[in-house]
């Protein structure tokens, strides 16, 4: 199950089916930075038990779900959005998907009900790989790199099926993998 693409900004990292690392088991990661110094991304399908108002009390009615972006910097809040026209900020990571922006402006938009949950996704922490770390993990077939997805995947709230969906979207060569049990001992 070799990855056919090199990692780069806007691509997905899809964990192999039997990856037992609890941080990345059946994970889909959107790459937001990929440079010589390393790679940064956010896990799209690990929802926490928190909502935004738990992290930012002044947004007391903000019941936006918060996702675990990864095991690094878990004291930080990040966001992806697809509402550049409202926020006028953020770095375009993929077509129609933006990372970050003016957080103060975002808080005002949220307080006034101008941002919908389908337009934004919040994360605590992020995923990071050192210079050779991701390259080594790709050689070990820990990840599949994909650019076959729509922006809706990033903002999906179906955490349970997201991994399976992106595997199936890779085509027939990979589709059968989506049916592998999460624990091979239960087969």
């Amino acid at each position: 199950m070799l990855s056919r693409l090199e990692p780069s900004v806007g691509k997905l990292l899809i964990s192999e089916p039997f990856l037992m690392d609890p941080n990345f088991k059946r994970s889909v990661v959107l790459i937001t930075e990929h440079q010589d110094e390393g790679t940064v991304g956010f896990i799209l399908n690990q929802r926490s038990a928190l909502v935004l108002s738990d992290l930012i009390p002044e947004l007391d009615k903000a019941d936006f779900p918060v996702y675990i972006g990864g095991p690094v910097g878990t004291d930080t809040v990040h966001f992806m959005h697809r509402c550049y026209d409202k926020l006028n900020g953020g770095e375009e990571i993929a077509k129609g998907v933006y990372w970050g922006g003016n957080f103060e402006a975002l808080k005002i938009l949220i307080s006034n009900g101008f941002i919908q949950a389908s337009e934004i996704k919040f994360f605590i922490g992020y995923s990071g790989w050192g210079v050779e770390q991701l390259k080594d993990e790709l050689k070990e077939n820990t990840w599949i790199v994909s650019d076959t997805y729509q922006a809706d995947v990033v903002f999906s709230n179906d955490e349970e099926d997201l991994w399976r969906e992106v595997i199936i979207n890779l085509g027939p060569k990979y589709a059968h993998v989506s049916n592998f049990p999460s624990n091979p001992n239960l087969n």
Side-chain angles (χ1 to χ4, degrees), residues 50 55-56 68-78 123-126:
L50 302 170
L55 302 174
I56 305 168
I68 300 168
V72 182
T74 55
D75 59 344
T76 60
V77 177
H78 306 267
F123 302 91
I124 50 174
Y126 61 92

Side-chain angles (χ1 to χ4, degrees), residues 31-173:
I31 299 173
T32 55
E33 286 185 21
H34 183 72
Q35 303 171 353
D36 292 339
E37 299 83 38
T39 302
V40 171
F42 294 89
I43 302 170
L44 300 176
N45 61 329
Q46 286 190 14
R47 188 173 178 166
S48 76
L50 302 170
V51 294
L52 189 60
S53 60
D54 294 329
L55 302 174
I56 305 168
E58 70 229 46
L59 296 173
D60 60 342
K61 294 183 176 132
D63 60 353
F64 296 90
V66 176
Y67 290 77
I68 300 168
V72 182
T74 55
D75 59 344
T76 60
V77 177
H78 306 267
F79 63 97
M80 303 278 176
H81 65 91
R82 56 174 161 190
C83 51
Y84 188 89
D85 56 327
K86 295 177 185 178
L87 196 54
N88 293 318
E91 180 180 340
E92 190 168 30
I93 299 302
K95 185 175 172 75
V97 178
Y98 299 87
W99 175 34
N102 183 326
F103 197 70
E104 293 306 313
L106 177 62
K107 290 193 307 189
I108 292 167
L109 291 167
I110 289 171
S111 293
N112 292 318
F114 293 128
I115 301 289
Q116 305 302 313
S118 61
E119 298 176 297
I120 196 159
K121 198 167 207 176
F122 292 94
F123 302 91
I124 50 174
Y126 61 92
S127 300
W129 291 265
V131 179
E132 296 295 318
Q133 185 181 6
L134 183 56
K135 190 181 290 185
D136 290 344
E137 290 180 14
L138 287 167
K139 285 179 188 172
E140 295 168 359
N141 294 320
T142 302
W143 301 100
I144 300 169
V145 180
S146 174
D147 60 1
T148 307
Y149 68 96
Q150 300 294 320
D152 288 346
V153 164
V154 175
F155 302 99
S156 172
N157 60 4
D158 188 0
E159 305 84 41
E160 295 294 319
D161 287 329
L162 185 62
W163 179 85
R164 186 174 190 279
E165 178 184 329
V166 296
I167 291 281
I168 290 169
N169 285 340
L170 292 173
K173 178 180 176 186

